[in-house]
Amino acid sequence: MNPIPFIWTNDDIETGLHDKMVDQMAFLDRFGLKGTFFVVPCRAGTKPLTGDPKLVTLLKEAMTQGHDIQQHSTTHVCIENGTADLRMFDLMGDGSKVDYSEKRFLWERIWEVDAIKAQINWGRQIWIECFGKQSTGYRPGCGAFCGNMYKALEQLDFQWASARLVSMTGWMWQANHDDYPVRLEGPVKPFRQGKIIEYPILDDVAFRVPQDQVDRYVELGWQHWQACVKRQAPYILLCHPSGLNFDGGTGYAIHEKLLPRILESNMAIPMTLDEYHNRVVAGKFPLATPEQAYPDSQKLPAWHILSDKQKGNPYRPAQA
Ligand SMILES: [Zn+2]
């Protein structure tokens, strides 16, 4: 077994959260780790990132220290980038399901390429104002995505995305589905969606964990780690400031126990997500094989009139 990339990622730093960012950087320093922070350009209802110069200065300082800072949606309204991962609706509540049902036509309008591109570009422009250049990567909120999001990212010169969710176990336990099994449910290695390389997210094992369950989630994180080592896939861990600070800091308590265990296993190559992307592009780490990366997602099913399997069907359009 070879060592695998260990990538610590964090979502939802935004306007007003300067002090949380300071805490997170100090925490990582204790382990000698560099993080990948997905920062929200303009959370709906709040001032854009340009309105918080103290945070922007800190983020620039973080970059010079080797941390990786990347764009996290534009307004962080889940629906902005496509349907939220359906498994995520359990965490978002029944209201979000009703909303989806009632506003379906409107959402579909929002997901057309012109609309989704303009929305992502809004955040991108704020980003360029803050940092002088766009980010190379992009992560939507809530694991939301659609095919048009990847097309828009491609047109806006992003290189990679990190949107898909590999394991829902941590999330589901935290949504009171205690019987949800420990398993990986999609490709763990990166794959291409058009020209964009997608880096699936493993799990957040420290989202809203009560005090008495810290050890259970440390163990879950450790099981994920072992599964990734076995598959020789990257371990892309996710956390949020609100989760790290939840219930007196249970998220920090979990990472406090999990990180040294991983680092001391001698199987971890710590790096940022952008660094990993550069090494993947350079051929140092493999992409998922076509069989591993949602193998049938691009192929029309046999029952569809446009599928190759329907050649000879007299109802098939001539140009298909
Ligand atoms: Zn987020």
Side-chain angles (χ1 to χ4, degrees), residues 105 107-118 146 148 152:
F105 291 133
W107 298 153
E108 288 180 0
R109 170 67 193 103
I110 287 170
W111 303 332
E112 283 176 33
V113 175
D114 70 320
I116 206 163
K117 184 179 170 185
C146 64
N148 284 343

Side-chain angles (χ1 to χ4, degrees), residues 11-12 72 76:
D11 290 4
D12 293 5
H72 186 34
H76 208 286

Side-chain angles (χ1 to χ4, degrees), residues 135-208:
S135 72
T136 48
Y138 183 85
R139 179 177 281 171
C142 315
F145 70 94
C146 64
N148 284 343
M149 178 191 86
Y150 290 90
K151 286 181 191 158
L153 290 175
E154 205 174 303
Q155 290 175 20
L156 290 167
D157 294 327
F158 286 90
Q159 296 174 24
W160 57 267
S162 179
R164 308 294 295 265
L165 304 167
V166 175
S167 166
M168 290 303 291
T169 310
W171 303 101
M172 289 298 110
W173 287 1
Q174 288 158 77
N176 298 319
H177 295 295
D178 265 333
D179 52 349
Y180 204 87
V182 178
R183 67 178 179 212
L184 305 182
E185 298 176 336
V188 193
K189 288 180 186 166
F191 58 91
R192 278 186 196 279
Q193 181 67 30
K195 286 188 184 141
I196 299 291
I197 300 184
E198 162 65 33
Y199 294 89
I201 307 160
L202 206 63
D203 206 342
D204 185 346
V205 295
F207 192 56
R208 293 176 197 157

Side-chain angles (χ1 to χ4, degrees), residues 29 115 196 240 244 265 288 302:
D29 275 350
I196 299 291
H240 296 77
L244 292 170
S265 72

Side-chain angles (χ1 to χ4, degrees), residues 123-149:
R124 176 177 169 271
Q125 286 172 308
I126 292 170
W127 201 268
I128 292 170
E129 244 179 272
C130 291
F131 305 112
K133 58 177 188 270
Q134 74 175 93
S135 72
T136 48
Y138 183 85
R139 179 177 281 171
C142 315
F145 70 94
C146 64
N148 284 343
M149 178 191 86

